[in-house]
Amino acid sequence: MSAVRRPLVAGNWKMHKTVGEAREFCDALATLVDVAAPLDVAVCPPFTALEATARALAGTSIAVYAQNVHEAEAGAHTGDVSAAMVLDTGATGALVGHSERRAAGDTDAQVAARVRAGIDAGLLIVMCCGESLDTRRAGQTEEWVTRQVRDGLASATAADIDRLVIAYEPIWAIGTGETATPDQAQEACAIVRRVASEVVDGTRLRVLYGGSVNPGNAAELMACADVDGALVGGASLDPGSFAAIVAAAA
Ligand code: PEP
């Protein structure tokens, strides 16, 4: 973690939590998180709970991000949500290119277009990248991550630095309980920063690690020089464990 870049810990709820469950979570989290700590905290509910979560967390320093955003402003895109619609709920950011979305068909070109559309609309965009186990075993992690970052930032410019975060999430560590070692996380996050520096100021870019982060491993992962926080899935569903990860970052 660097002294220059403000850490970010974001919780990705995936397809979990009804509106009522989201409200309960927010009430609990608000009492557990140290709002004065010098870091950013966000939760990423499903679209259906975005507005209720944003209302429940209004007045706290905890932000709300969507889990995806469509690149078009409006139109015939059944099941999708635009950046303006996300903002309309009170959310201020969105994930883009999560591996579960890529597996469901989101392409590199769409990821790039969504980064652009989201930032243009005023959202903070957390663009995700990361390799499969086969890619890692084939020794192609650097090549894969380099391509994903270059493709994802194809429409980005240096001016986007304050609204752009990149999360390195190795697919083999997502939801598996298998975490990258601090050395693996550091190595990959350094590659992300170096490649992104072709477009934005790498010294200011926040790069997160994601993949089975939990209260027990969060501190050592976030202690890595190029890891500026965490994107947390499973362990973000419980307010106590998410707050413990936030405390590790603080
Ligand atoms: C994620 O969904 O982004 C994630 C990292 O999940 P988990 O923490 O459960 O591996």
Side-chain angles (χ1 to χ4, degrees):
M1 216 170 242
S2 105
V4 182
R5 298 180 293 270
R6 189 174 166 93
L8 167 64
V9 177
N12 174 17
W13 294 357
K14 312 192 188 209
M15 199 170 70
H16 292 286
K17 296 197 192 296
T18 60
V19 166
E21 289 164 347
R23 287 198 185 110
E24 269 176 40
F25 175 99
C26 294
D27 289 348
L29 186 68
T31 65
L32 295 170
V33 166
D34 174 6
V35 290
L39 83 167
D40 293 333
V41 180
V43 293
C44 311
F47 288 133
T48 49
L50 274 181
E51 183 172 6
T53 305
R55 276 183 201 273
L57 293 174
T60 75
S61 58
I62 303 166
V64 179
Y65 301 164
Q67 296 174 15
N68 200 5
V69 66
H70 197 273
E71 63 273 26
E73 283 181 20
H77 303 287
T78 304
D80 282 312
V81 168
S82 72
M85 290 168 179
V86 169
L87 281 165
D88 200 32
T89 68
T92 56
L95 308 180
V96 164
H98 189 283
S99 61
E100 289 157 14
R101 293 303 328 159
R102 292 180 189 262
D106 291 5
T107 64
D108 290 322
Q110 278 176 317
V111 171
R114 290 170 185 196
V115 169
R116 186 69 270 142
I119 292 175
D120 283 348
L123 292 170
L124 180 141
I125 294 296
V126 181
M127 187 191 82
C128 306
C129 62
E131 81 289 357
S132 67
L133 192 55
D134 284 351
T135 301
R136 176 161 284 266
R137 285 192 175 140
Q140 291 168 351
T141 297
E142 177 164 2
E143 196 182 322
W144 181 270
V145 170
T146 297
R147 186 193 55 72
Q148 277 192 326
V149 172
R150 281 199 184 126
D151 286 356
L153 299 187
S155 306
T157 73
D160 297 329
I161 183 65
D162 292 327
R163 292 204 183 278
L164 179 70
V165 174
I166 301 183
Y168 165 69
E169 297 203 304
I171 297 168
W172 47 270
I174 296 181
T176 60
E178 191 176 335
T179 315
T181 64
D183 282 351
Q184 288 172 323
Q186 166 56 30
E187 189 182 17
C189 288
I191 292 168
V192 168
R193 188 179 308 288
R194 194 186 69 230
V195 176
S197 297
E198 295 167 5
V199 178
V200 293
D201 179 354
T203 65
R204 291 177 59 203
L205 178 72
R206 291 185 291 179
V207 180
L208 313 183
Y209 168 78
S212 296
V213 174
N214 61 48
N217 61 26
E220 61 173 1
L221 286 162
M222 291 190 278
C224 299
D226 283 295
V227 178
D228 303 313
L231 182 54
V232 187
S236 74
L237 294 173
D238 173 71
S241 65
F242 186 56
I245 294 168
V246 170

